Amino acid sequence: MTKRTRLTSLVTLGCITALLALPQIQAHAQDKISAEEARAIAVDAYLYFYPLVSMDITRLQSTNIEPGKEFAKGPMNMFVSVPEYPPADLKVVVRVNFDTLYSVAWLDLTKEPLIVSAPDTDGRYYLLPMLDMWTDVFASPGWRTTGTQAPEGARMTAFVIENAMHLKHYTIRCILTGVLLAWAAHAAADAEPTYVGRAQCATCHAEENARWSGSHHDLAMQEASDTSVLGDFDDARFEQFGVTSRFYRQDGVFMVRTEGPDGALHDYPIKYTFGVYPLQQYLIAFPGGRLQALDIAWDSRPEAEGGQRWMHLHPDDPVRHDDVLHWTGPNLNWNFMCADCHSTNLRKGYDPASDSYHSTWSEIDVSCEACHGPGSRHLEWAAATGRGETSDIPEYGLTVRFDERAGVAWRIDPDTGLPKRSKPRTSAKEIHVCARCHSRRSQMTDDMVAGQPFLDGFQPALLTEGLYYPDGQMQDEVYVWGSFLQSKMHQAGVTCSDCHDPHAADLRVPGGDATCVQCHAPARYASTAHHFHPPDSRGASCIECHMPPTTFMVVDARHDHSFRIPRPDLSLTMGTPNACTQCHADQTDAWAARHTATWYGEAPQPLAQSAQAMQAARAGHPAAGQMLQAIAANPAQPAITRATALQALADYPDNAMLTQVQQSLNSPDPLLRLGALHALATLGPTQRRLAVPLLGDANKAIRIEAARLLAGLPTEAFTPQEKERLAQGIEEYIAVQTFNAERPEAQVNLGVLYADLGRYQEAEQAYRQAIAQQPQFVPASVNLALLLSERGQEPAAERLLRQGLTRNPDSADLHHALGLSLVRQQRLESALVALAKAAELAPNNLRYGYVHAVALQANDQIAAAIQVLERLDQQSPANLDILSALVNYHRQIGEDAKALEYARRLPQQTPANPAARSP
């Protein structure tokens, strides 16, 4: 026996002894093993076992695949011969010989020895290295060691027989490897699962894999190639706003010559395609690991529908090369804006120190584990059950089980004639998984797998102004989730896969309204008695009437998933869109409202009530507070609508509001808890202490919002446990902002937090970092100027604001902040100029107009102040500040009759407010 063999045998026996002794060691660990010894044992065990686990994962990835599908991969105990040289980009091993033909086999010696034979090659060179599970080469038959001739009278050389000692040794190793892996799996039952790749899934789930192949998820992102690129790169040219871009091929590489970050034309290779239909974008690599999405996209619709052309995603808005919306700018950066939803197991990998990305993924597209979670433990479960063993791995080894539709049917309720779920849906696992990408949200971490609560990894946008209309219809690109949560479908228990095939990423029953009639009886709904339109017309379509589309990115029509009935009556008072006049563009909302009233009678009130409350809040109406409280307290309203009402109540504080907020902070629904926290933002320290219990919430989005509210409050009244939780929450908040540290929004958030904590130097540093990242990001300059002012550096604040105005001369926020700075310096004449400019640039900002009027009055220009206020009063007749100022200013100039006229309107606006009493 050689020294190497002897040493290896000793290692093997040592492992067996350690395994046999394991229970005894565990039983007496506290008595006989110190922490240092335990650590040393753990390190040794890790170093010994890790190669076994790693190699077995490699084995699984290499053998659960049909031969010929991937280089040198195929089933166990079979040589997979590769009839061509390895490609230059092969990464199966660290380095291969690119002038060598390979045959590879994984051998299972756990049950019996195997004979590996080779023919007489008549002197031709070959090598047959045999590796164990530690990747040690224990034998290497071939030209150099055993020769190439078969023994006399034989056609084959049986190397296993002639190397019996090594075979026996290898067999022991394989058996031991199986024992070790089984033990390691049991010992690490709670360890984090790992990603294994779609090929592993496809071996058992062939039907699902077939449906997924070619889907939008499959084609979400691809390497640029002849098969993936849809656009015309045959020396095509596209002109937009004086810039002519050229799309061409060079040495087989797809290229574009277009405007770069310096405003000059440059040639860029296309690295990846992004999306497939109805448009395809292209990603271009930049220094620092950045990928940028070109804003000239290929319209992939058929030519008959206007497609098969290049188009600009900002067709009506010239975007300068130094604009954040330019394709080389931060708002079209793939790493931050897009990556997480187009690849599997995406790790952004931003490094603030070098301002660079090291983004990685396990699969380039939206593959199985993007939705089902990492699959290593599921493979363990499948392997155990395949051997006929009973596995103690819970939930089939999945991080999330989509079982909400199991055994469920939708039937017509005889009492209502409406579809009803056979049993209530008691969870939202599927919706949470889909919402990760199909929602408007900000990402807090990429260390999250499917199955974790949505609010533990993301901060969702509520139904706020600019994103949604007052009645909840989508206004901006909000990606379905927020709309769906408002729907009666959601309240009835519908989940995403009731309508959508999650593997094909298409409707379960494609084609018009076919999906709808799975549950909604055609006899009742596909009739003129219901829709009052000719059959097969747009007006007879469920989708056109109840899911009206809004077009984004020029050609991408997104359907509203709130499944609402058309409400032209709300359009009359709120300017909201409705399906009727979207189709009948030549008619008015009043015309449509008359028809719907004739056909259907009085419209349902709950939607009208919430829409009216949101509209009143956006207009600053004093009565909005009571209206919002009614919505927040109404369990019949969707949770996201109630949460939005709570958020809006921040501008309407009173005792009743505080009672409603307290109740919502204790709600089992996380959206209501989040909305209630938003409502505390404008209140004082005593009221904000109501957020303390939520420092221990199960959802990260709620914990960090509570910490943000409580940061900077005096901690004398906090218990030691509360102080500890607050410190943890603040660190978690900082970690979330650091995760997004490449964005000025995150830096401003850090600046505000540090200022609240009295860490002024760090606050200033964060604000300056935000300005350096995006000089056009106005909040950073405004907040830093305020910080400097509060620190007694008013001249420095003024200089900063004027510098900001050189970059952003039309920023009303900067002009307003400069005006306030000049007021603080008692330079009222100059302040009036800046405040007037702010009001001019933002005529709908009532606060800017009001402050301008107050400054005019302070400068003895009361008539001019009244003129400004009267204009504002026409915009917002219910604003208390404006009405009160008009009363006071008319009194000052002796116009008592006019003052009385405005005073009489005060109690009409706030009848419950004793301070608003007319003389």
Side-chain angles (χ1 to χ4, degrees):
M1 181 180 289
T2 66
K3 181 179 179 181
R4 178 179 177 81
T5 304
R6 187 180 303 112
L7 287 173
T8 308
S9 298
L10 287 173
V11 171
T12 302
L13 290 174
C15 285
I16 294 174
T17 303
L19 284 171
L20 293 175
L22 184 62
Q24 184 177 2
I25 291 173
Q26 290 174 333
H28 300 284
Q30 292 182 341
D31 297 334
K32 297 187 177 182
I33 299 179
S34 67
E36 292 76 10
E37 290 172 326
R39 185 180 185 281
I41 292 171
V43 171
D44 288 343
Y46 181 88
L47 293 175
Y48 188 81
F49 294 153
Y50 179 81
L52 303 180
V53 177
S54 176
M55 195 65 167
D56 198 60
I57 291 173
T58 303
R59 177 186 65 81
L60 290 169
Q61 293 175 336
S62 300
T63 58
N64 286 313
I65 188 170
E66 295 178 13
K69 292 288 186 181
E70 294 187 36
F71 185 90
K73 293 183 179 182
M76 294 283 291
N77 296 337
M78 174 189 293
F79 273 102
V80 179
S81 298
V82 183
E84 57 188 5
Y85 292 132
D89 59 349
L90 183 69
K91 297 178 181 178
V92 174
V93 295
V94 176
R95 182 174 179 83
V96 297
N97 295 323
F98 295 106
D99 59 351
T100 302
L101 296 174
Y102 283 87
S103 291
V104 179
W106 286 80
L107 305 182
D108 181 4
L109 308 182
T110 57
K111 297 180 180 179
E112 61 182 355
L114 294 178
I115 298 175
V116 179
S117 302
D120 188 332
T121 63
D122 194 23
R124 183 173 180 179
Y125 181 91
Y126 75 91
L127 189 66
L128 190 56
M130 298 182 182
L131 285 71
D132 59 21
M133 294 296 280
W134 285 265
T135 67
D136 291 331
V137 178
F138 66 85
S140 188
W143 186 85
R144 293 177 178 173
T145 55
T146 60
T148 64
Q149 290 183 338
E152 186 175 352
R155 299 176 60 188
M156 294 281 187
T157 301
F159 294 108
V160 170
I161 296 174
E162 296 199 354
N163 294 278
M165 176 62 72
H166 295 293
L167 170 63
K168 181 180 179 182
H169 177 73
Y170 185 43
T171 304
I172 292 174
R173 280 191 162 187
C174 287
I175 293 172
L176 180 60
T177 297
V179 173
L180 290 174
L181 287 173
W183 174 78
H186 178 74
D190 295 327
E192 293 294 328
T194 57
Y195 289 81
V196 298
R198 178 179 63 88
Q200 295 286 356
C201 308
T203 57
C204 293
H205 303 285
E207 180 185 346
E208 290 80 1
N209 180 64
R211 296 208 307 274
W212 174 87
S213 297
S215 69
H216 283 216
H217 284 168
D218 177 18
L219 307 178
M221 181 171 168
Q222 305 172 81
E223 292 185 356
S225 68
D226 289 340
T227 55
S228 64
V229 173
L230 302 179
D232 178 8
F233 281 80
D234 189 16
D235 201 28
R237 283 170 168 76
F238 177 80
E239 193 274 334
Q240 181 83 354
F241 299 121
V243 176
T244 300
S245 301
R246 175 181 169 232
F247 298 85
Y248 63 101
R249 300 283 295 270
Q250 179 176 297
D251 299 327
V253 177
F254 294 90
M255 303 287 295
V256 59
R257 181 172 178 79
T258 192
E259 183 183 61
D262 57 357
L265 293 177
H266 298 277
D267 295 281
Y268 298 102
I270 303 297
K271 192 169 182 65
Y272 299 104
T273 65
F274 209 58
V276 62
Y277 188 87
L279 70 155
Q280 184 176 72
Q281 289 183 268
Y282 299 95
L283 301 181
I284 293 170
F286 274 71
R290 285 169 167 77
L291 288 176
Q292 297 294 136
L294 188 66
D295 55 6
I296 303 173
W298 180 253
D299 184 346
S300 54
R301 299 174 303 160
E303 187 174 0
E305 297 178 16
Q308 301 302 298
R309 59 175 180 129
W310 291 107
M311 62 180 185
H312 203 286
L313 297 181
H314 303 285
D316 303 318
D317 183 18
V319 178
R320 285 177 47 86
H321 63 87
D322 55 355
D323 195 304
V324 294
L325 292 176
H326 192 263
W327 75 272
T328 60
N331 284 13
L332 273 81
N333 169 249
W334 167 88
N335 310 74
F336 175 84
M337 298 293 294
C338 322
D340 184 58
C341 287
H342 281 254
S343 298
T344 302
N345 186 26
L346 195 288
R347 294 291 185 266
K348 182 173 64 171
Y350 177 70
D351 176 29
S354 61
D355 187 28
S356 62
Y357 293 94
H358 307 280
S359 303
T360 63
W361 57 70
S362 58
E363 292 181 273
I364 193 172
D365 49 19
V366 183
S367 195
C368 313
E369 292 165 294
C371 302
H372 292 278
S376 61
R377 305 217 42 226
H378 181 59
L379 288 185
E380 295 171 22
W381 171 86
T385 56
R387 294 190 297 267
E389 301 171 3
T390 300
S391 174
D392 61 355
I393 300 176
E395 299 293 333
Y396 306 115
L398 298 166
T399 63
V400 58
R401 279 185 63 194
F402 295 122
D403 55 1
E404 293 164 315
R405 298 178 68 248
V408 169
W410 287 88
R411 302 186 178 94
I412 300 300
D413 186 329
D415 296 330
T416 64
L418 300 174
K420 185 177 182 180
R421 209 174 192 265
S422 57
K423 56 182 179 181
R425 177 171 55 77
T426 58
S427 67
K429 294 183 290 186
E430 185 178 280
I431 294 172
H432 282 192
V433 169
C434 297
R436 293 176 61 179
C437 291
H438 295 276
S439 68
R440 185 72 170 256
R441 83 294 188 275
S442 61
Q443 187 179 3
M444 299 187 292
T445 176
D446 53 21
D447 187 19
M448 184 178 179
V449 299
Q452 292 178 251
F454 176 48
L455 266 65
D456 208 29
F458 303 92
Q459 292 176 310
L462 299 180
L463 310 179
T464 50
E465 188 171 9
L467 299 182
Y468 295 85
Y469 289 103
D471 63 349
Q473 290 187 76
M474 63 179 187
Q475 183 177 1
D476 202 357
E477 202 167 6
V478 291
Y479 309 106
V480 174
W481 173 80
S483 299
F484 179 63
L485 261 58
Q486 302 174 60
S487 70
K488 289 185 177 180
M489 299 281 199
H490 176 259
Q491 291 174 295
V494 172
T495 190
C496 309
S497 63
D498 279 318
C499 301
H500 297 272
D501 180 339
H503 296 104
D506 201 352
L507 293 173
R508 283 198 172 275
V509 188
D513 299 333
T515 296
C516 308
V517 300
Q518 291 180 110
C519 296
H520 299 278
R524 176 172 181 173
Y525 295 103
S527 68
T528 55
H530 174 71
H531 54 64
F532 296 95
H533 284 76
D536 300 323
S537 67
R538 286 182 62 188
S541 165
C542 308
I543 294 173
E544 290 291 336
C545 286
H546 300 292
M547 301 179 68
T550 301
T551 300
F552 300 102
M553 302 183 80
V554 184
V555 297
D556 192 2
R558 309 273 179 86
H559 289 274
D560 193 304
H561 277 60
S562 54
F563 302 102
R564 63 185 68 243
I565 62 173
R567 292 296 300 268
D569 58 315
L570 296 182
S571 302
L572 284 170
T573 57
M574 301 180 189
T576 53
N578 68 83
C580 303
T581 53
Q582 280 183 304
C583 184
H584 298 279
D586 58 336
Q587 299 292 347
T588 65
D589 293 331
W591 170 87
R594 287 195 302 272
H595 277 79
T596 54
T598 301
W599 293 337
Y600 304 110
E602 186 176 350
Q605 287 306 303
L607 174 60
Q609 291 167 356
S610 64
Q612 290 161 1
M614 300 302 177
Q615 176 77 346
R618 295 179 184 186
H621 198 291
Q626 293 180 349
M627 300 167 71
L628 292 168
Q629 289 173 27
I631 299 302
N634 186 355
Q637 290 283 352
I640 192 170
T641 304
R642 298 172 68 191
T644 306
L646 285 164
Q647 183 180 41
L649 278 171
D651 293 329
Y652 299 91
D654 60 23
N655 289 334
M657 169 266 198
L658 192 59
T659 300
Q660 181 60 53
V661 169
Q662 283 182 283
Q663 294 174 354
S664 300
L665 288 171
N666 296 315
S667 170
D669 193 305
L671 280 181
L672 292 185
R673 299 199 298 275
L674 186 62
L677 285 175
H678 290 319
L680 293 176
T682 59
L683 302 183
T686 301
Q687 291 80 14
R688 277 187 280 163
R689 272 190 53 82
L690 292 171
V692 168
L694 296 185
L695 290 170
D697 198 274
N699 297 275
K700 182 184 292 188
I702 294 175
R703 292 195 302 272
I704 66 172
E705 180 64 19
R708 186 189 68 80
L709 285 170
L710 297 167
L713 264 62
T715 58
E716 291 79 7
F718 286 71
T719 67
Q721 184 183 30
E722 290 171 348
K723 290 180 182 178
E724 181 180 358
R725 283 188 170 181
L726 176 57
Q728 292 172 348
I730 289 173
E731 287 305 310
E732 199 168 25
Y733 182 87
I734 292 173
V736 168
Q737 306 311 321
T738 303
F739 172 74
N740 293 316
E742 70 268 49
R743 297 291 300 189
E745 298 91 343
Q747 297 295 340
V748 167
N749 288 343
L750 285 173
V752 172
L753 175 74
Y754 291 142
D756 287 344
L757 295 173
R759 295 158 61 174
Y760 301 115
Q761 186 174 354
E762 291 172 275
E764 181 175 344
Q765 182 179 354
Y767 289 140
R768 293 196 183 280
Q769 177 65 19
I771 295 171
Q773 288 174 341
Q774 279 191 36
Q776 302 92 337
F777 190 68
V778 170
S781 295
V782 172
N783 281 25
L784 178 54
L786 183 60
L787 177 68
L788 293 173
S789 173
E790 291 172 347
R791 304 296 295 164
Q793 302 177 49
E794 198 66 65
E798 180 188 346
R799 286 195 300 272
L800 178 74
L801 293 169
R802 292 193 183 280
Q803 289 169 3
L805 283 167
T806 62
R807 297 186 294 264
N808 306 279
D810 294 330
S811 170
D813 295 337
L814 286 173
H815 282 287
H816 184 73
L818 177 61
L820 295 179
S821 175
L822 295 169
V823 168
R824 290 190 291 268
Q825 298 178 66
Q826 298 183 0
R827 295 158 57 188
L828 198 54
E829 288 290 343
S830 298
L832 282 172
V833 175
L835 294 174
K837 187 66 174 178
E840 176 191 341
L841 290 169
N844 293 324
N845 189 315
L846 299 179
R847 190 67 190 170
Y848 287 0
Y850 173 76
V851 171
H852 179 219
V854 171
L856 287 168
Q857 186 271 345
N859 200 39
D860 296 327
Q861 300 181 43
I862 297 181
I866 290 175
Q867 186 177 4
V868 170
L869 290 170
E870 287 178 340
R871 177 182 60 80
L872 296 175
D873 181 54
Q874 291 178 352
Q875 289 179 240
S876 181
N879 188 284
L880 288 181
D881 288 336
I882 295 170
L883 288 173
S884 299
L886 283 168
V887 171
N888 291 330
Y889 293 175
H890 278 293
R891 275 178 171 175
Q892 290 179 28
I893 61 174
E895 294 182 351
D896 292 342
K898 199 71 173 175
L900 184 61
E901 178 184 335
Y902 286 112
R904 284 173 175 162
R905 286 170 50 192
L906 284 171
Q908 298 175 17
Q909 307 302 334
T910 55
N913 187 347
R917 290 285 182 262
S918 58

